[in-house]
Amino acid sequence: MKQNSPFSLHLLGVVSLCAIAPAETALAAPPAGCATVHASSEEDTPKGLIYHDLSVNAPNGITSLHVKKLVFAGRASSAQATQDLAQAASLLLVSAMTGQHNAACTQWLTEQGKQVVAGLQSGAAYDLTWNNATIEHGAAHVNVATARYQMQGAAGPHTSSASLSMSGLSFHNVANQQLLPSAAQATFSLPTAEIPALISAVGGRSTAAPAVHATISNFEASEGTVRLQGHGQATLTGDVAATSASGHLEITNLEELIEKARTARQMKLAAGLVLGRLVSHRSGEQNTWDTTWTGGVLTVNGFPLPIK
């Protein structure tokens, strides 16, 4: 498995019919060598399929996800298809948050992506909520109070719309954790046909799948009184180094963010933010820019600000 970024936001989930399962259920997929998934119980309710005490463990023995409760609402072609999509969604959560990719997952995740595409094209909508999740990679821990992912077919026949929100984020033994957000959300659309490639790239082999082209209508991340907000276009892959974006960026309370960077001894970032402040437009507590992001470098009105 390959490590990239501790905080990426590429997830996919889905749900529907499943009977109540016995305690300590060992679920059927993903394949050997990809990950092992266990749930203490499952129940089918009017709100959707609920998993209790779900865990996903990577074969490296140091990467895992533990979720107190997972709620799915949606539709799949069969009970087994529903289980596969539920497990794929949770696997993608831990892969996206840790930047871990496992080639043994690639083909299986591609097949799950094809199921999602078929559902979206037939009018299905998917809604997935993780409650009290803990992601671990070695000594690094990320806690998420609530994460929710929603997806449905968009007005255009070849696009799908999605939203992702996370709240109650906290970090332990994560690099520069003082600069990471406690809450984040995004709404975006992407070509439906590109969904399998994105799913495969996030959890599988990161450089094998084609890039996915997303239009971001809104992105927000906040920590305390510091808030970053933007919109634009992005080219997504499973490899953070190959991900790029361009658009409009706003930061509220930039001075506090600069001080946080200095406290974290990220002097290059602090200096870059000071330089960015000089070329920004100021309105009240907000500084705004037209920006591009590529290769870990944020370019603001022509000035590069190295972030990584």
Side-chain angles (χ1 to χ4, degrees):
M1 297 178 82
K2 175 184 173 183
Q3 183 173 4
N4 283 322
S5 167
F7 191 75
S8 309
L9 298 175
H10 312 318
L11 313 173
L12 227 298
V14 137
V15 183
S16 187
L17 312 167
C18 240
I20 296 176
E24 298 301 331
T25 302
L27 306 179
C34 174
T36 57
V37 183
H38 295 273
S40 64
S41 64
E42 309 166 27
E43 55 179 315
D44 188 17
T45 75
K47 292 184 178 180
L49 179 64
I50 298 177
Y51 287 75
H52 297 279
D53 298 314
L54 184 74
S55 65
V56 178
N57 292 279
N60 62 13
I62 62 172
T63 305
S64 65
L65 164 70
H66 303 277
V67 182
K68 187 65 176 177
K69 185 168 77 170
L70 185 59
V71 180
F72 293 85
R75 185 178 71 217
S77 59
S78 66
Q80 182 60 59
T82 297
Q83 285 213 353
D84 285 352
L85 290 170
Q87 293 169 68
S90 297
L91 175 62
L92 289 171
L93 176 63
V94 67
S95 295
M97 294 292 285
T98 63
Q100 301 300 301
H101 310 278
N102 184 349
C105 303
T106 302
Q107 186 56 45
W108 179 71
L109 287 172
T110 299
E111 294 303 316
Q112 307 319 307
K114 291 177 180 178
Q115 286 195 59
V116 172
V117 170
L120 291 170
Q121 290 176 338
S122 66
Y126 304 120
D127 190 335
L128 166 67
T129 301
W130 292 272
N131 291 299
N132 297 321
T134 300
I135 299 100
E136 300 181 4
H137 180 64
H141 293 203
V142 180
N143 296 314
V144 187
T146 303
R148 187 177 186 184
Y149 184 85
Q150 297 171 288
M151 173 166 274
Q152 61 186 21
H158 303 298
T159 61
S160 296
S161 60
S163 66
L164 170 67
S165 62
M166 292 187 175
S167 62
L169 285 160
S170 61
F171 306 88
H172 180 66
N173 286 334
V174 174
N176 304 319
Q177 61 193 48
Q178 306 96 317
L179 300 173
L180 297 176
S182 58
Q185 60 182 6
T187 56
F188 56 96
S189 61
L190 69 167
T192 304
E194 293 182 350
I195 290 172
L198 178 59
I199 293 176
S200 175
V202 171
R205 203 188 304 161
S206 64
T207 58
V212 176
H213 305 88
T215 299
I216 303 167
S217 56
N218 184 58
F219 168 77
E220 293 184 27
S222 61
E223 169 54 37
T225 61
V226 177
R227 187 179 70 166
L228 183 150
Q229 185 174 8
H231 56 82
Q233 293 77 42
T235 300
L236 307 174
T237 73
D239 184 352
V240 69
T243 295
S244 62
S246 63
H248 182 75
L249 177 68
E250 302 176 0
I251 298 180
T252 302
N253 283 335
L254 177 60
E255 297 298 331
E256 184 176 339
L257 180 59
I258 292 172
E259 188 57 36
K260 284 177 178 286
R262 287 172 175 159
T263 301
R265 297 185 179 181
Q266 293 297 307
M267 303 313 294
K268 183 184 291 187
L269 172 59
L273 290 170
V274 170
L275 180 61
R277 180 181 58 189
L278 296 176
V279 298
S280 70
H281 298 289
R282 182 70 181 267
S283 176
E285 294 297 320
Q286 289 186 333
N287 294 78
T288 66
W289 306 265
D290 291 320
T291 62
T292 61
W293 163 272
T294 183
V297 176
L298 178 67
T299 301
V300 178
N301 293 344
F303 291 86
L305 310 179
I307 301 297
K308 65 179 182 179

